[in-house]
Amino acid sequence: MGSIYKRGNKLWLRFKGPDGKWTQSPSGFESGQEKQAREALRQLEDRIAANVEFGEPEKGPVTVARYAQRWLEQRQGLVAGWKTDESRLRHHVLPHLGEMALEDVRPRHLVDLFRKLRVQGTVAPKTLHNIYGVLKALFRDAHLADLVTTSPCILTEHQLGENVDKDPAWRATAVYTRDELEALIADPRIPPDRQVLYALQGIAALRHGEAAGLRWQHYDSSTPVLGRLVIATSYDKGHTKTKRTRYMPVHPTLAAILAEWKLKGWPEIMGRTPTPEDLVVPMPRPTNRGPRVEHGRMRTDHHSYKRLVKDLEVLGLRHRRGHDLRRTMISLARTDGARKDILELCTHTPRKSGSAIDLYTTFPWEALCAEVAKLKVQRHERSQLVRLPLAASAEKENPGSPDGARGLATSLATVSRKAESFPEDTVWRRRESNPQQGGSKTPSRSRCYRLTP
């Protein structure tokens, strides 16, 4: 324990440095300010102890890079996005600040860093704010660990810029059409396991982590009206993004897909029948020698994203994300008449804040099922998707239109008997957009498609 003493009218601090030797330093306070001087001595000794714990006597002052390594190790198992945090620090922060002593970083250093990132133009505005958020959390925890006296993260939008999309027109196009969703869950060119994954995202509105972490024990097909998915975890974290469990009614089309997958598709890729503890969509066997998740283990977002890019190319569709399937389900369901307030209970869980009447309202299970069932999505037998050229005038009127105005046409396959791959499909109906030539009202097999009951 150090001490305070006077030199004239000034107060000085005596303490042991990181090397264990006694040293003296002016406190910056005068006689009569002993209380403030004692607090400064306490903070100084706490900071020295923290630096000693990080190996300062042997390795020198704690740098941003050294602390970031320990900080990320501590976040593993506690913070789901620690890998993303590590990537943002490694690519954007450590190349500029990594060798600096942690306590030497000042706000002006961060101003210079984010000015460079903005001038380069390679980082989207939202990503820029995410990088700053990680850096702010790092210095917050360094302050809590007594490694710095104050955090330098005091930047505002004046230094960071607005938190907006890099392309203002992008979000309006981040959705699939009904035909595109139905192609992703039924086209024979898409592997069956990925059809199931896309169905969970596009019909049940699951986030990727929720679909990847879903196990057969979370699916109850015996509940009244519609089956039920218990959305209780994202990946294997033990909780969802909102840390609240929700219940999602299983749309009839999704129920048919899951039934067929459990009976035939899942055993084919795993070599056995599934148990309640098994993942619904585990990783299939590898098709190359590159590094990848072990067969049967949980899918990663990176793996699914790469496969989605390939699947969209195969179908001749423009690029979008897997998360856009979730937005597609919500958009199509509301277009088909689903009530927003009830559908939200299935897709997002109740809000913690809201009007009192919302907090005191509990809808029965049948009401949730009724709204989800309004979604009009089916599995069609399809031939290859054909992309038609657009007239120049149409392209000008509908640039990047999310409603399929880019000229995507779907040719529906015609068969004379019930397909073995869709045993649940039992009803034939005429496609109204392809009326009979000559005015005949008699349905023709060549202009029919299957509906899932």
Side-chain angles (χ1 to χ4, degrees):
M1 175 66 74
S3 60
I4 301 172
Y5 64 95
K6 293 182 180 180
R7 280 189 179 180
N9 195 37
K10 304 294 184 181
L11 297 177
W12 281 63
L13 309 179
R14 187 171 185 269
F15 55 92
K16 283 187 177 182
D19 55 1
K21 297 181 179 180
W22 288 99
T23 185
Q24 296 81 33
S25 175
S27 68
F29 298 100
E30 300 179 352
S31 179
Q33 296 179 310
E34 283 77 9
K35 183 177 180 180
Q36 294 91 325
R38 279 194 295 270
E39 177 62 20
L41 177 62
R42 185 192 64 79
Q43 294 181 4
L44 178 60
E45 290 182 328
D46 288 345
R47 190 162 67 254
I48 291 174
N51 279 274
V52 170
E53 182 182 348
F54 273 82
E56 182 177 0
E58 301 84 16
K59 302 177 182 179
V62 180
T63 63
V64 175
R66 279 174 52 202
Y67 178 71
Q69 181 180 0
R70 174 79 69 88
W71 184 71
L72 291 168
E73 291 174 355
Q74 293 173 343
R75 288 170 76 83
Q76 296 183 29
L78 298 177
V79 179
W82 72 270
K83 287 187 177 180
T84 304
D85 295 344
E86 186 274 335
S87 177
R88 288 168 178 161
L89 290 173
R90 174 164 47 88
H91 287 102
H92 304 292
V93 176
L94 298 183
H96 301 275
L97 305 178
E99 298 304 317
M100 290 187 64
L102 198 65
E103 60 182 354
D104 289 343
V105 179
R106 298 291 182 267
R108 59 184 175 86
H109 297 126
L110 303 188
V111 172
D112 292 340
L113 167 62
F114 286 96
R115 182 188 296 115
K116 290 179 181 178
L117 294 177
R118 292 179 65 185
V119 170
Q120 290 173 0
T122 57
V123 179
K126 282 186 174 294
T127 303
L128 196 76
H129 279 260
N130 290 335
I131 295 170
Y132 180 71
V134 175
L135 196 58
K136 189 174 182 179
L138 183 145
F139 276 99
R140 175 203 63 205
D141 291 347
H143 186 198
L144 293 174
D146 293 316
L147 290 170
V148 295
T149 54
T150 58
S151 170
C153 298
I154 57 173
L155 277 58
T156 66
E157 284 192 355
H158 293 289
Q159 294 80 36
L160 299 174
E162 291 186 284
N163 189 4
V164 296
D165 292 325
K166 185 175 183 179
D167 180 5
W170 162 79
R171 195 166 295 274
T173 66
V175 66
Y176 296 84
T177 66
R178 200 182 306 270
D179 279 346
E180 291 171 339
L181 171 59
E182 292 174 345
L184 285 168
I185 65 174
D187 195 290
R189 292 169 292 179
I190 307 299
D193 61 300
R194 299 211 287 271
Q195 289 186 20
V196 177
L197 177 65
Y198 300 147
L200 289 171
Q201 294 177 289
I203 303 179
L206 268 62
R207 300 176 178 90
H208 181 271
E210 295 168 346
L214 189 71
R215 301 182 185 273
W216 287 111
Q217 63 187 0
H218 298 141
Y219 175 34
D220 184 359
S221 59
S222 64
T223 52
V225 188
L226 297 179
R228 181 175 67 185
L229 291 177
V230 180
I231 316 302
T233 182
S234 178
Y235 299 107
D236 56 357
K237 295 185 294 184
H239 58 80
T240 62
K241 177 182 177 182
T242 59
K243 296 182 174 60
R244 304 181 71 180
T245 298
R246 70 179 191 275
Y247 301 97
M248 183 70 191
V250 179
H251 190 279
T253 300
L254 178 58
I257 293 174
L258 290 175
E260 181 180 351
W261 172 244
K262 186 175 184 179
L263 180 66
K264 182 180 179 182
W266 202 99
E268 286 182 352
I269 71 167
M270 295 302 296
R272 59 179 177 83
T273 56
T275 66
E277 294 75 22
D278 284 320
L279 297 168
V280 175
V281 280
M283 285 287 292
R285 294 188 182 278
T287 56
N288 54 52
R289 298 182 180 180
R292 58 178 286 154
V293 178
E294 181 181 347
H295 173 228
R297 300 295 293 274
M298 193 172 296
R299 293 169 184 260
T300 65
D301 182 65
H302 178 67
H303 173 273
S304 297
Y305 174 77
K306 290 176 64 177
R307 271 62 188 177
L308 175 62
V309 170
K310 293 181 179 180
D311 291 341
L312 292 177
E313 290 178 353
V314 167
L315 296 176
L317 304 178
R318 61 185 176 84
H319 170 74
R320 270 151 295 179
R321 308 168 303 167
H323 193 73
D324 297 331
L325 286 166
R326 173 174 160 85
R327 180 181 182 187
T328 298
M329 181 273 171
I330 297 171
S331 300
L332 292 178
R334 295 188 64 186
T335 299
D336 295 336
R339 284 178 53 180
K340 173 186 175 182
D341 55 337
I342 299 181
L343 186 65
E344 185 179 23
L345 301 178
C346 305
T347 60
H348 287 82
T349 70
R351 297 182 180 180
K352 295 181 180 179
S353 60
S355 62
I357 195 170
D358 291 334
L359 300 177
Y360 277 85
T361 303
T362 300
F363 290 98
W365 173 249
E366 291 77 9
L368 273 62
C369 294
E371 300 311 307
V372 171
K374 291 179 180 178
L375 173 64
K376 299 175 183 178
V377 60
Q378 301 147 2
R379 291 187 302 167
H380 302 302
E381 289 188 63
R382 296 173 180 270
S383 64
Q384 293 187 355
L385 300 180
V386 181
R387 183 173 296 281
L388 301 179
L390 283 180
S393 59
E395 181 65 17
K396 290 180 181 179
E397 293 176 2
N398 298 291
S401 174
D403 59 1
R406 283 189 175 275
L408 176 68
T410 304
S411 175
L412 303 181
T414 59
V415 294
S416 60
R417 62 182 179 87
K418 186 174 178 179
E420 296 179 359
S421 60
F422 301 111
E424 293 80 14
D425 295 340
T426 58
V427 184
W428 286 94
R429 289 188 182 177
R430 184 167 63 85
R431 186 179 178 193
E432 296 179 358
S433 59
N434 288 331
Q436 292 287 325
Q437 294 182 358
S440 173
K441 296 183 179 180
T442 303
S444 168
R445 280 292 173 92
S446 63
R447 299 185 184 280
C448 292
Y449 64 99
R450 300 181 188 271
L451 281 179
T452 303

